[in-house]
Amino acid sequence: MSTLKSSVLRTVDIARRAGYSVQQVRNLERDGVLPPAMRTAAGYRIYGEIHLQSALAYRALAVGTGPVEAKRIVRAVHECPTSEVLALLDAAHARLDRERKDLRLAKEAAAAISAELIEDVRPSDSMSVSELAAALGVRPSTLRHWDAEGLAVPDRVSPRGTRRYSPAQTRDARIVHQLRSAGYRIDPLRALMPGLRRGHRSEDVGAVLADREANIEARSRALLGATVVLSTVLGGNQT
């Protein structure tokens, strides 16, 4: 028998208390995030406390892990052994931990790269696509993609359009590589890189990394809150 306090809730009650629309509540039930509701003789849904807690857990998890993984975890609470639920939560925490480590490395690398002085540049200091790709540990096609997106744009030094990266352009590619490794998407970087080339490198990179850190912190807090609610749901599922 469920250990959650017995209560009778309508669809609209779940919607209001969980911050969803009535249709969203029905969709969550359809997707297995909420256990199947009981029905009145007239066919109206009747929900209980376990449905509300499941909706609240999903809402927090969607912030912490994304909606797809959030559905997977809450469905597992209702359908799988507790050990499987804990494994999914451990994996979610591990992903956030990896993002934090990547962010720290990106901060250190961006600070070091931004502080580099470029003086007495010679033609021999430039790098080809294949040379730079090997130095960064990426594919040449990745550099060509960054070029097309305006992130790290090399010079064209022959009628055939052979790419050569100057030391400044190489530094741009290194910063892009670090920020991409830390989880940054192309669109924010496309907006960021022109400012970096105008001399606001360390300040702008620092602001972007600070935004990323705030995002990770918010998701980590949401995951912590979801874990507390899930513990209640797990207890309520025990007989």
Side-chain angles (χ1 to χ4, degrees), residues 8 10-12 18 23 27 34 50 70 72 105 120 124 130 133 141 149 191 216:
V8 177
R10 301 167 300 166
T11 307
V12 68
Q23 186 58 52
N27 292 345
L34 308 186
I50 194 169
R72 183 184 178 196
L105 292 174
D120 301 325
S124 60
S130 59
S141 60
E149 294 290 348
I216 293 173

Side-chain angles (χ1 to χ4, degrees), residues 152-202:
V153 182
D155 296 321
R156 301 300 200 279
V157 295
S158 75
R160 298 179 61 184
T162 303
R163 295 172 172 88
R164 299 291 296 184
Y165 290 83
S166 70
Q169 293 158 352
T170 296
R171 186 171 61 183
D172 286 345
R174 291 167 64 191
I175 289 178
V176 170
H177 178 51
Q178 290 299 327
L179 294 178
R180 288 288 288 157
S181 297
Y184 285 90
R185 298 179 180 178
I186 293 294
D187 286 346
L189 286 175
R190 191 188 299 116
L192 173 68
M193 293 308 293
L196 299 186
R197 298 188 191 100
R198 289 194 295 268
H200 306 295
R201 189 174 303 273
S202 60

Side-chain angles (χ1 to χ4, degrees), residues 52-217:
L52 174 61
Q53 295 302 318
S54 296
L56 292 172
Y58 169 75
R59 188 175 183 86
L61 279 170
V63 175
T65 69
V68 174
E69 185 64 15
K71 288 182 180 180
R72 183 184 178 196
I73 292 173
V74 182
R75 279 198 299 262
V77 170
H78 303 307
E79 301 170 0
C80 303
T82 300
S83 59
E84 292 187 27
V85 179
L86 296 177
L88 291 172
L89 289 172
D90 288 346
H93 283 289
R95 284 191 293 271
L96 279 171
D97 180 61
R98 184 167 59 251
E99 287 189 45
R100 287 183 184 277
K101 290 177 179 176
D102 289 343
L103 178 63
R104 185 179 68 251
L105 292 174
K107 283 182 175 181
E108 294 171 356
I113 294 168
S114 298
E116 292 178 356
L117 296 177
I118 300 177
E119 300 175 342
D120 301 325
V121 177
R122 299 165 296 180
S124 60
D125 293 327
S126 64
M127 302 177 71
S128 68
V129 171
S130 59
E131 289 170 338
L132 182 55
L136 294 178
V138 300
R139 296 179 178 179
S141 60
T142 298
L143 290 178
R144 295 188 183 98
H145 180 56
W146 294 351
D147 179 10
E149 294 290 348
L151 304 182
V153 182
D155 296 321
R156 301 300 200 279
V157 295
S158 75
R160 298 179 61 184
T162 303
R163 295 172 172 88
R164 299 291 296 184
Y165 290 83
S166 70
Q169 293 158 352
T170 296
R171 186 171 61 183
D172 286 345
R174 291 167 64 191
I175 289 178
V176 170
H177 178 51
Q178 290 299 327
L179 294 178
R180 288 288 288 157
S181 297
Y184 285 90
R185 298 179 180 178
I186 293 294
D187 286 346
L189 286 175
R190 191 188 299 116
L192 173 68
M193 293 308 293
L196 299 186
R197 298 188 191 100
R198 289 194 295 268
H200 306 295
R201 189 174 303 273
S202 60
E203 294 84 356
D204 287 353
V205 171
V208 169
L209 292 173
D211 287 343
R212 181 66 172 178
E213 186 171 30
N215 176 268
I216 293 173
E217 171 117 355

